[in-house]
Amino acid sequence: MGILLTREAAAKYIGIDVKTFDKVFRSDQDFKRIKIGDHSERFTKNSINEFINLKEKNLKQI
C-alpha cells in the first residue's frame, strides 16, 4: 500500500467493506481526506487512525 490510499485500500486497511467505509468514514465531516480533482479522494493511514481514536474517545465519554 502506498502513502495515499483509495477508498478500497483504506477499507482493506481497516478490515471493513467499502460500503461500510463510505457510510462510517467518508460521510463524517471529522474524517480528513485529500481531494484530487473534482471527484477523487485519497486517505492516509494516519488520518484513518486519528479518526478511529477520536471516535473511540467520544464513545468512552458516554
Short mmCIF file of all heavy atoms in Angstrom, two decimals:
data_model
loop_
_atom_site.label_atom_id
_atom_site.label_comp_id
_atom_site.label_asym_id
_atom_site.label_seq_id
_atom_site.Cartn_x
_atom_site.Cartn_y
_atom_site.Cartn_z
N MET A 1 0.83 -1.18 0.00
CA MET A 1 0.00 0.00 0.00
C MET A 1 0.87 1.24 0.00
O MET A 1 1.85 1.30 0.71
CB MET A 1 -0.88 0.04 1.25
CG MET A 1 -2.19 -0.69 1.13
SD MET A 1 -3.22 -0.44 2.57
CE MET A 1 -3.58 -2.15 2.91
N GLY A 2 0.44 2.21 -0.78
CA GLY A 2 1.16 3.47 -0.84
C GLY A 2 0.78 4.38 0.31
O GLY A 2 0.02 4.01 1.20
N ILE A 3 1.31 5.58 0.27
CA ILE A 3 1.02 6.56 1.31
C ILE A 3 -0.43 7.04 1.20
O ILE A 3 -1.12 7.18 2.20
CB ILE A 3 2.00 7.75 1.22
CG1 ILE A 3 3.40 7.27 1.56
CG2 ILE A 3 1.57 8.87 2.15
CD1 ILE A 3 4.47 8.31 1.35
N LEU A 4 -0.89 7.29 -0.02
CA LEU A 4 -2.27 7.71 -0.24
C LEU A 4 -3.10 6.49 -0.65
O LEU A 4 -2.77 5.80 -1.60
CB LEU A 4 -2.34 8.78 -1.32
CG LEU A 4 -1.63 10.09 -1.01
CD1 LEU A 4 -1.74 11.05 -2.19
CD2 LEU A 4 -2.21 10.74 0.24
N LEU A 5 -4.16 6.26 0.10
CA LEU A 5 -4.98 5.08 -0.12
C LEU A 5 -6.28 5.44 -0.83
O LEU A 5 -6.89 6.46 -0.52
CB LEU A 5 -5.33 4.42 1.22
CG LEU A 5 -4.18 4.07 2.15
CD1 LEU A 5 -4.71 3.50 3.45
CD2 LEU A 5 -3.22 3.10 1.49
N THR A 6 -6.69 4.59 -1.74
CA THR A 6 -8.02 4.71 -2.33
C THR A 6 -9.03 4.26 -1.28
O THR A 6 -8.66 3.70 -0.24
CB THR A 6 -8.17 3.81 -3.57
OG1 THR A 6 -8.00 2.44 -3.15
CG2 THR A 6 -7.15 4.17 -4.64
N ARG A 7 -10.31 4.46 -1.54
CA ARG A 7 -11.31 4.01 -0.57
C ARG A 7 -11.29 2.49 -0.43
O ARG A 7 -11.49 1.96 0.67
CB ARG A 7 -12.70 4.53 -0.93
CG ARG A 7 -13.24 4.08 -2.24
CD ARG A 7 -14.48 4.87 -2.63
NE ARG A 7 -15.71 4.23 -2.26
CZ ARG A 7 -16.38 3.38 -3.03
NH1 ARG A 7 -15.94 3.08 -4.23
NH2 ARG A 7 -17.50 2.86 -2.62
N GLU A 8 -10.99 1.79 -1.51
CA GLU A 8 -10.89 0.33 -1.44
C GLU A 8 -9.72 -0.11 -0.57
O GLU A 8 -9.85 -1.00 0.27
CB GLU A 8 -10.76 -0.27 -2.84
CG GLU A 8 -11.99 -0.12 -3.71
CD GLU A 8 -12.08 1.22 -4.45
OE1 GLU A 8 -11.18 2.07 -4.30
OE2 GLU A 8 -13.07 1.41 -5.17
N ALA A 9 -8.57 0.54 -0.76
CA ALA A 9 -7.38 0.21 0.03
C ALA A 9 -7.57 0.61 1.49
O ALA A 9 -7.13 -0.09 2.40
CB ALA A 9 -6.14 0.87 -0.56
N ALA A 10 -8.23 1.75 1.72
CA ALA A 10 -8.49 2.21 3.09
C ALA A 10 -9.41 1.23 3.81
O ALA A 10 -9.17 0.88 4.97
CB ALA A 10 -9.09 3.61 3.08
N ALA A 11 -10.45 0.78 3.13
CA ALA A 11 -11.37 -0.19 3.72
C ALA A 11 -10.64 -1.49 4.05
O ALA A 11 -10.84 -2.08 5.12
CB ALA A 11 -12.54 -0.45 2.78
N LYS A 12 -9.77 -1.91 3.15
CA LYS A 12 -8.99 -3.14 3.38
C LYS A 12 -8.05 -2.95 4.57
O LYS A 12 -7.91 -3.86 5.39
CB LYS A 12 -8.20 -3.48 2.13
CG LYS A 12 -7.43 -4.76 2.22
CD LYS A 12 -6.73 -5.11 0.92
CE LYS A 12 -5.96 -6.40 1.06
NZ LYS A 12 -5.27 -6.76 -0.19
N TYR A 13 -7.42 -1.79 4.69
CA TYR A 13 -6.52 -1.49 5.80
C TYR A 13 -7.25 -1.61 7.14
O TYR A 13 -6.72 -2.16 8.10
CB TYR A 13 -5.94 -0.08 5.62
CG TYR A 13 -5.17 0.44 6.81
CD1 TYR A 13 -3.94 -0.10 7.14
CD2 TYR A 13 -5.69 1.46 7.59
CE1 TYR A 13 -3.23 0.38 8.24
CE2 TYR A 13 -4.99 1.95 8.68
CZ TYR A 13 -3.77 1.40 9.00
OH TYR A 13 -3.07 1.87 10.10
N ILE A 14 -8.49 -1.13 7.18
CA ILE A 14 -9.28 -1.18 8.41
C ILE A 14 -9.88 -2.57 8.62
O ILE A 14 -10.12 -2.98 9.76
CB ILE A 14 -10.42 -0.14 8.36
CG1 ILE A 14 -9.86 1.26 8.15
CG2 ILE A 14 -11.25 -0.17 9.64
CD1 ILE A 14 -10.90 2.28 7.76
N GLY A 15 -10.13 -3.27 7.55
CA GLY A 15 -10.73 -4.59 7.64
C GLY A 15 -12.25 -4.55 7.57
O GLY A 15 -12.92 -5.36 8.21
N ILE A 16 -12.77 -3.58 6.80
CA ILE A 16 -14.22 -3.47 6.64
C ILE A 16 -14.57 -3.42 5.16
O ILE A 16 -13.71 -3.22 4.31
CB ILE A 16 -14.78 -2.22 7.35
CG1 ILE A 16 -14.16 -0.93 6.80
CG2 ILE A 16 -14.58 -2.33 8.86
CD1 ILE A 16 -14.75 0.34 7.36
N ASP A 17 -15.85 -3.58 4.87
CA ASP A 17 -16.35 -3.49 3.50
C ASP A 17 -16.31 -2.04 3.01
O ASP A 17 -16.41 -1.10 3.82
CB ASP A 17 -17.79 -4.00 3.48
CG ASP A 17 -18.35 -4.08 2.07
OD1 ASP A 17 -17.94 -5.01 1.34
OD2 ASP A 17 -19.17 -3.21 1.71
N VAL A 18 -16.15 -1.84 1.73
CA VAL A 18 -16.09 -0.49 1.14
C VAL A 18 -17.36 0.29 1.44
O VAL A 18 -17.30 1.49 1.74
CB VAL A 18 -15.83 -0.57 -0.38
CG1 VAL A 18 -15.89 0.80 -1.02
CG2 VAL A 18 -14.47 -1.20 -0.66
N LYS A 19 -18.51 -0.36 1.39
CA LYS A 19 -19.78 0.34 1.68
C LYS A 19 -19.82 0.83 3.13
O LYS A 19 -20.32 1.92 3.41
CB LYS A 19 -20.97 -0.58 1.39
CG LYS A 19 -21.17 -0.84 -0.08
CD LYS A 19 -22.35 -1.76 -0.31
CE LYS A 19 -22.48 -2.09 -1.79
NZ LYS A 19 -23.58 -3.02 -2.04
N THR A 20 -19.28 0.05 4.03
CA THR A 20 -19.21 0.45 5.44
C THR A 20 -18.25 1.62 5.59
O THR A 20 -18.51 2.57 6.34
CB THR A 20 -18.78 -0.73 6.32
OG1 THR A 20 -19.69 -1.80 6.13
CG2 THR A 20 -18.74 -0.34 7.79
N PHE A 21 -17.13 1.58 4.88
CA PHE A 21 -16.17 2.68 4.91
C PHE A 21 -16.85 3.97 4.45
O PHE A 21 -16.69 5.02 5.08
CB PHE A 21 -14.97 2.37 4.02
CG PHE A 21 -13.96 3.47 3.95
CD1 PHE A 21 -13.07 3.70 5.00
CD2 PHE A 21 -13.89 4.30 2.84
CE1 PHE A 21 -12.14 4.74 4.94
CE2 PHE A 21 -12.96 5.32 2.77
CZ PHE A 21 -12.09 5.54 3.82
N ASP A 22 -17.61 3.89 3.37
CA ASP A 22 -18.32 5.07 2.87
C ASP A 22 -19.31 5.59 3.90
O ASP A 22 -19.38 6.80 4.15
CB ASP A 22 -19.07 4.74 1.58
CG ASP A 22 -18.14 4.49 0.40
OD1 ASP A 22 -16.95 4.88 0.47
OD2 ASP A 22 -18.61 3.92 -0.60
N LYS A 23 -20.06 4.71 4.51
CA LYS A 23 -21.11 5.09 5.45
C LYS A 23 -20.55 5.67 6.75
O LYS A 23 -21.03 6.69 7.23
CB LYS A 23 -21.99 3.87 5.76
CG LYS A 23 -23.15 4.16 6.67
CD LYS A 23 -23.99 2.91 6.87
CE LYS A 23 -25.14 3.17 7.83
NZ LYS A 23 -25.94 1.98 8.04
N VAL A 24 -19.52 5.04 7.29
CA VAL A 24 -19.00 5.43 8.59
C VAL A 24 -17.92 6.51 8.48
O VAL A 24 -17.94 7.49 9.23
CB VAL A 24 -18.44 4.21 9.35
CG1 VAL A 24 -17.78 4.62 10.65
CG2 VAL A 24 -19.54 3.19 9.58
N PHE A 25 -16.99 6.35 7.56
CA PHE A 25 -15.85 7.26 7.48
C PHE A 25 -16.11 8.44 6.54
O PHE A 25 -16.03 9.59 6.94
CB PHE A 25 -14.59 6.50 7.03
CG PHE A 25 -14.01 5.63 8.10
CD1 PHE A 25 -14.59 4.42 8.44
CD2 PHE A 25 -12.86 6.01 8.78
CE1 PHE A 25 -14.06 3.61 9.43
CE2 PHE A 25 -12.31 5.22 9.77
CZ PHE A 25 -12.92 4.02 10.10
N ARG A 26 -16.38 8.15 5.29
CA ARG A 26 -16.47 9.20 4.28
C ARG A 26 -17.63 10.16 4.53
O ARG A 26 -17.57 11.31 4.12
CB ARG A 26 -16.57 8.61 2.89
CG ARG A 26 -15.26 7.96 2.46
CD ARG A 26 -15.31 7.42 1.05
NE ARG A 26 -15.44 8.49 0.09
CZ ARG A 26 -16.23 8.43 -0.98
NH1 ARG A 26 -16.96 7.36 -1.21
NH2 ARG A 26 -16.30 9.44 -1.82
N SER A 27 -18.68 9.70 5.16
CA SER A 27 -19.83 10.56 5.40
C SER A 27 -19.64 11.50 6.59
O SER A 27 -20.41 12.43 6.78
CB SER A 27 -21.09 9.72 5.63
OG SER A 27 -20.96 8.97 6.82
N ASP A 28 -18.59 11.30 7.37
CA ASP A 28 -18.34 12.10 8.57
C ASP A 28 -17.42 13.28 8.26
O ASP A 28 -16.33 13.09 7.71
CB ASP A 28 -17.72 11.21 9.65
CG ASP A 28 -17.77 11.84 11.03
OD1 ASP A 28 -17.31 12.99 11.18
OD2 ASP A 28 -18.26 11.17 11.95
N GLN A 29 -17.85 14.47 8.64
CA GLN A 29 -17.06 15.68 8.36
C GLN A 29 -15.74 15.72 9.13
O GLN A 29 -14.81 16.44 8.76
CB GLN A 29 -17.88 16.93 8.69
CG GLN A 29 -19.09 17.11 7.80
CD GLN A 29 -18.71 17.28 6.33
OE1 GLN A 29 -17.72 17.92 6.00
NE2 GLN A 29 -19.49 16.67 5.46
N ASP A 30 -15.63 14.96 10.23
CA ASP A 30 -14.39 14.92 11.01
C ASP A 30 -13.28 14.12 10.33
O ASP A 30 -12.12 14.23 10.71
CB ASP A 30 -14.65 14.31 12.40
CG ASP A 30 -15.48 15.20 13.29
OD1 ASP A 30 -15.45 16.43 13.11
OD2 ASP A 30 -16.15 14.66 14.18
N PHE A 31 -13.66 13.30 9.35
CA PHE A 31 -12.67 12.43 8.70
C PHE A 31 -11.89 13.22 7.66
O PHE A 31 -12.46 13.76 6.72
CB PHE A 31 -13.37 11.23 8.06
CG PHE A 31 -12.42 10.23 7.47
CD1 PHE A 31 -11.41 9.68 8.22
CD2 PHE A 31 -12.55 9.84 6.16
CE1 PHE A 31 -10.53 8.76 7.68
CE2 PHE A 31 -11.68 8.92 5.59
CZ PHE A 31 -10.68 8.38 6.37
N LYS A 32 -10.57 13.27 7.84
CA LYS A 32 -9.70 14.02 6.94
C LYS A 32 -9.44 13.24 5.67
O LYS A 32 -9.22 12.04 5.71
CB LYS A 32 -8.37 14.36 7.63
CG LYS A 32 -8.53 15.25 8.82
CD LYS A 32 -7.20 15.47 9.49
CE LYS A 32 -7.37 16.27 10.77
NZ LYS A 32 -6.12 16.35 11.53
N ARG A 33 -9.46 13.95 4.55
CA ARG A 33 -9.21 13.34 3.25
C ARG A 33 -8.47 14.32 2.37
O ARG A 33 -8.45 15.51 2.63
CB ARG A 33 -10.53 12.93 2.61
CG ARG A 33 -11.38 14.14 2.28
CD ARG A 33 -12.84 13.84 2.18
NE ARG A 33 -13.40 13.78 3.52
CZ ARG A 33 -14.43 13.04 3.86
NH1 ARG A 33 -15.06 12.33 2.98
NH2 ARG A 33 -14.87 13.02 5.08
N ILE A 34 -7.89 13.81 1.32
CA ILE A 34 -7.19 14.65 0.33
C ILE A 34 -7.99 14.58 -0.94
O ILE A 34 -8.23 13.50 -1.48
CB ILE A 34 -5.75 14.14 0.11
CG1 ILE A 34 -4.96 14.24 1.41
CG2 ILE A 34 -5.09 14.92 -1.01
CD1 ILE A 34 -3.64 13.53 1.38
N LYS A 35 -8.46 15.74 -1.39
CA LYS A 35 -9.23 15.81 -2.63
C LYS A 35 -8.26 15.88 -3.81
O LYS A 35 -7.32 16.65 -3.81
CB LYS A 35 -10.12 17.05 -2.64
CG LYS A 35 -11.20 17.06 -1.59
CD LYS A 35 -12.38 16.23 -1.96
CE LYS A 35 -13.34 17.03 -2.79
NZ LYS A 35 -14.50 16.29 -3.20
N ILE A 36 -8.52 15.06 -4.80
CA ILE A 36 -7.73 15.08 -6.03
C ILE A 36 -8.72 15.33 -7.17
O ILE A 36 -9.52 14.45 -7.50
CB ILE A 36 -6.98 13.74 -6.24
CG1 ILE A 36 -6.04 13.50 -5.07
CG2 ILE A 36 -6.23 13.76 -7.57
CD1 ILE A 36 -5.34 12.16 -5.10
N GLY A 37 -8.68 16.52 -7.70
CA GLY A 37 -9.64 16.88 -8.74
C GLY A 37 -11.02 17.07 -8.14
O GLY A 37 -11.20 17.32 -6.96
N ASP A 38 -12.03 16.96 -8.99
CA ASP A 38 -13.41 17.18 -8.55
C ASP A 38 -14.06 15.96 -7.93
O ASP A 38 -14.99 16.08 -7.13
CB ASP A 38 -14.26 17.64 -9.74
CG ASP A 38 -13.88 19.02 -10.24
OD1 ASP A 38 -13.35 19.81 -9.42
OD2 ASP A 38 -14.11 19.31 -11.42
N HIS A 39 -13.60 14.77 -8.27
CA HIS A 39 -14.32 13.58 -7.86
C HIS A 39 -13.51 12.55 -7.10
O HIS A 39 -14.08 11.59 -6.58
CB HIS A 39 -14.94 12.90 -9.09
CG HIS A 39 -15.85 13.79 -9.86
ND1 HIS A 39 -17.09 14.16 -9.39
CD2 HIS A 39 -15.69 14.44 -11.03
CE1 HIS A 39 -17.66 14.99 -10.26
NE2 HIS A 39 -16.83 15.16 -11.27
N SER A 40 -12.22 12.71 -7.00
CA SER A 40 -11.38 11.69 -6.37
C SER A 40 -10.93 12.13 -4.98
O SER A 40 -10.67 13.31 -4.75
CB SER A 40 -10.14 11.40 -7.21
OG SER A 40 -10.50 10.81 -8.43
N GLU A 41 -10.86 11.18 -4.08
CA GLU A 41 -10.35 11.40 -2.73
C GLU A 41 -9.34 10.32 -2.41
O GLU A 41 -9.44 9.20 -2.89
CB GLU A 41 -11.48 11.31 -1.70
CG GLU A 41 -12.55 12.33 -1.84
CD GLU A 41 -13.67 12.10 -0.83
OE1 GLU A 41 -13.96 10.94 -0.48
OE2 GLU A 41 -14.25 13.10 -0.42
N ARG A 42 -8.37 10.69 -1.58
CA ARG A 42 -7.40 9.72 -1.08
C ARG A 42 -7.30 9.91 0.42
O ARG A 42 -7.62 10.97 0.96
CB ARG A 42 -6.02 9.91 -1.73
CG ARG A 42 -6.00 9.64 -3.22
CD ARG A 42 -6.29 8.17 -3.53
NE ARG A 42 -6.21 7.87 -4.94
CZ ARG A 42 -7.21 7.90 -5.79
NH1 ARG A 42 -8.41 8.25 -5.38
NH2 ARG A 42 -7.06 7.59 -7.06
N PHE A 43 -6.83 8.87 1.10
CA PHE A 43 -6.80 8.85 2.54
C PHE A 43 -5.44 8.35 3.00
O PHE A 43 -4.80 7.56 2.32
CB PHE A 43 -7.91 7.92 3.06
CG PHE A 43 -9.22 8.14 2.34
CD1 PHE A 43 -9.56 7.34 1.25
CD2 PHE A 43 -10.06 9.15 2.72
CE1 PHE A 43 -10.74 7.55 0.58
CE2 PHE A 43 -11.26 9.36 2.05
CZ PHE A 43 -11.60 8.56 0.98
N THR A 44 -5.01 8.81 4.17
CA THR A 44 -3.75 8.33 4.73
C THR A 44 -4.05 7.41 5.91
O THR A 44 -5.10 7.52 6.54
CB THR A 44 -2.85 9.49 5.21
OG1 THR A 44 -3.51 10.16 6.29
CG2 THR A 44 -2.55 10.47 4.08
N LYS A 45 -3.13 6.54 6.19
CA LYS A 45 -3.28 5.67 7.35
C LYS A 45 -3.36 6.50 8.62
O LYS A 45 -4.12 6.18 9.54
CB LYS A 45 -2.12 4.67 7.44
CG LYS A 45 -2.14 3.62 6.36
CD LYS A 45 -0.96 2.69 6.50
CE LYS A 45 -0.94 1.66 5.38
NZ LYS A 45 0.22 0.77 5.49
N ASN A 46 -2.61 7.59 8.65
CA ASN A 46 -2.62 8.47 9.81
C ASN A 46 -4.00 9.09 10.03
O ASN A 46 -4.50 9.13 11.15
CB ASN A 46 -1.56 9.57 9.65
CG ASN A 46 -1.38 10.37 10.91
OD1 ASN A 46 -1.28 9.82 12.00
ND2 ASN A 46 -1.32 11.68 10.78
N SER A 47 -4.64 9.55 8.95
CA SER A 47 -5.97 10.16 9.09
C SER A 47 -7.00 9.11 9.53
O SER A 47 -7.91 9.41 10.31
CB SER A 47 -6.42 10.86 7.80
OG SER A 47 -6.68 9.93 6.78
N ILE A 48 -6.85 7.90 9.05
CA ILE A 48 -7.75 6.81 9.46
C ILE A 48 -7.57 6.52 10.94
O ILE A 48 -8.55 6.44 11.69
CB ILE A 48 -7.49 5.55 8.61
CG1 ILE A 48 -7.87 5.79 7.16
CG2 ILE A 48 -8.23 4.35 9.19
CD1 ILE A 48 -7.38 4.74 6.19
N ASN A 49 -6.33 6.38 11.37
CA ASN A 49 -6.05 6.08 12.78
C ASN A 49 -6.51 7.20 13.70
O ASN A 49 -7.08 6.95 14.77
CB ASN A 49 -4.56 5.79 12.99
CG ASN A 49 -4.12 4.53 12.29
OD1 ASN A 49 -4.90 3.62 12.05
ND2 ASN A 49 -2.85 4.48 11.92
N GLU A 50 -6.29 8.46 13.30
CA GLU A 50 -6.73 9.61 14.09
C GLU A 50 -8.25 9.62 14.23
O GLU A 50 -8.78 9.90 15.30
CB GLU A 50 -6.27 10.92 13.45
CG GLU A 50 -4.80 11.21 13.63
CD GLU A 50 -4.37 12.49 12.95
OE1 GLU A 50 -5.22 13.17 12.33
OE2 GLU A 50 -3.18 12.82 13.04
N PHE A 51 -8.96 9.33 13.15
CA PHE A 51 -10.41 9.32 13.17
C PHE A 51 -10.93 8.23 14.12
O PHE A 51 -11.84 8.47 14.92
CB PHE A 51 -10.96 9.11 11.76
CG PHE A 51 -12.46 9.11 11.67
CD1 PHE A 51 -13.16 10.30 11.70
CD2 PHE A 51 -13.16 7.92 11.54
CE1 PHE A 51 -14.54 10.31 11.62
CE2 PHE A 51 -14.54 7.92 11.45
CZ PHE A 51 -15.23 9.12 11.49
N ILE A 52 -10.34 7.06 14.03
CA ILE A 52 -10.75 5.96 14.92
C ILE A 52 -10.50 6.34 16.37
O ILE A 52 -11.36 6.14 17.24
CB ILE A 52 -10.02 4.66 14.55
CG1 ILE A 52 -10.52 4.16 13.19
CG2 ILE A 52 -10.21 3.59 15.63
CD1 ILE A 52 -9.71 3.02 12.60
N ASN A 53 -9.35 6.93 16.66
CA ASN A 53 -9.04 7.35 18.03
C ASN A 53 -10.00 8.42 18.53
O ASN A 53 -10.43 8.39 19.68
CB ASN A 53 -7.59 7.84 18.14
CG ASN A 53 -6.59 6.72 18.01
OD1 ASN A 53 -6.88 5.57 18.33
ND2 ASN A 53 -5.41 7.04 17.53
N LEU A 54 -10.35 9.37 17.66
CA LEU A 54 -11.29 10.43 18.02
C LEU A 54 -12.65 9.84 18.37
O LEU A 54 -13.25 10.18 19.40
CB LEU A 54 -11.44 11.41 16.85
CG LEU A 54 -12.51 12.48 17.01
CD1 LEU A 54 -12.12 13.48 18.09
CD2 LEU A 54 -12.74 13.20 15.68
N LYS A 55 -13.13 8.95 17.55
CA LYS A 55 -14.45 8.34 17.79
C LYS A 55 -14.42 7.44 19.01
O LYS A 55 -15.39 7.37 19.76
CB LYS A 55 -14.93 7.58 16.56
CG LYS A 55 -15.16 8.47 15.36
CD LYS A 55 -16.14 9.59 15.67
CE LYS A 55 -16.30 10.54 14.53
NZ LYS A 55 -17.19 11.66 14.81
N GLU A 56 -13.30 6.77 19.23
CA GLU A 56 -13.17 5.90 20.40
C GLU A 56 -13.21 6.73 21.67
O GLU A 56 -13.88 6.35 22.64
CB GLU A 56 -11.84 5.12 20.31
CG GLU A 56 -11.65 4.12 21.40
CD GLU A 56 -10.36 3.35 21.24
OE1 GLU A 56 -9.30 3.98 21.16
OE2 GLU A 56 -10.42 2.11 21.18
N LYS A 57 -12.55 7.89 21.69
CA LYS A 57 -12.58 8.77 22.86
C LYS A 57 -14.00 9.26 23.12
O LYS A 57 -14.44 9.34 24.27
CB LYS A 57 -11.64 9.95 22.66
CG LYS A 57 -10.18 9.59 22.75
CD LYS A 57 -9.30 10.78 22.48
CE LYS A 57 -7.85 10.36 22.41
NZ LYS A 57 -6.98 11.48 22.04
N ASN A 58 -14.72 9.61 22.07
CA ASN A 58 -16.09 10.09 22.23
C ASN A 58 -16.99 9.01 22.80
O ASN A 58 -17.88 9.28 23.60
CB ASN A 58 -16.65 10.60 20.91
CG ASN A 58 -16.01 11.90 20.46
OD1 ASN A 58 -15.42 12.61 21.28
ND2 ASN A 58 -16.09 12.20 19.19
N LEU A 59 -16.78 7.77 22.39
CA LEU A 59 -17.59 6.67 22.92
C LEU A 59 -17.31 6.43 24.40
O LEU A 59 -18.21 6.11 25.16
CB LEU A 59 -17.32 5.38 22.14
CG LEU A 59 -17.92 5.31 20.76
CD1 LEU A 59 -17.46 4.03 20.07
CD2 LEU A 59 -19.44 5.32 20.82
N LYS A 60 -16.08 6.60 24.82
CA LYS A 60 -15.72 6.37 26.21
C LYS A 60 -16.37 7.41 27.14
O LYS A 60 -16.54 7.16 28.32
CB LYS A 60 -14.20 6.40 26.39
CG LYS A 60 -13.52 5.17 25.81
CD LYS A 60 -12.02 5.25 26.02
CE LYS A 60 -11.35 4.03 25.40
NZ LYS A 60 -9.88 4.10 25.50
N GLN A 61 -16.73 8.58 26.61
CA GLN A 61 -17.33 9.63 27.43
C GLN A 61 -18.80 9.39 27.70
O GLN A 61 -19.38 10.00 28.57
CB GLN A 61 -17.15 10.98 26.73
CG GLN A 61 -15.73 11.44 26.65
CD GLN A 61 -15.59 12.73 25.87
OE1 GLN A 61 -16.57 13.32 25.43
NE2 GLN A 61 -14.37 13.19 25.70
N ILE A 62 -19.42 8.49 26.97
CA ILE A 62 -20.85 8.25 27.12
C ILE A 62 -21.14 7.50 28.41
O ILE A 62 -20.45 6.65 28.82
CB ILE A 62 -21.42 7.48 25.90
CG1 ILE A 62 -21.30 8.37 24.68
CG2 ILE A 62 -22.85 7.06 26.13
CD1 ILE A 62 -21.68 7.67 23.40
#
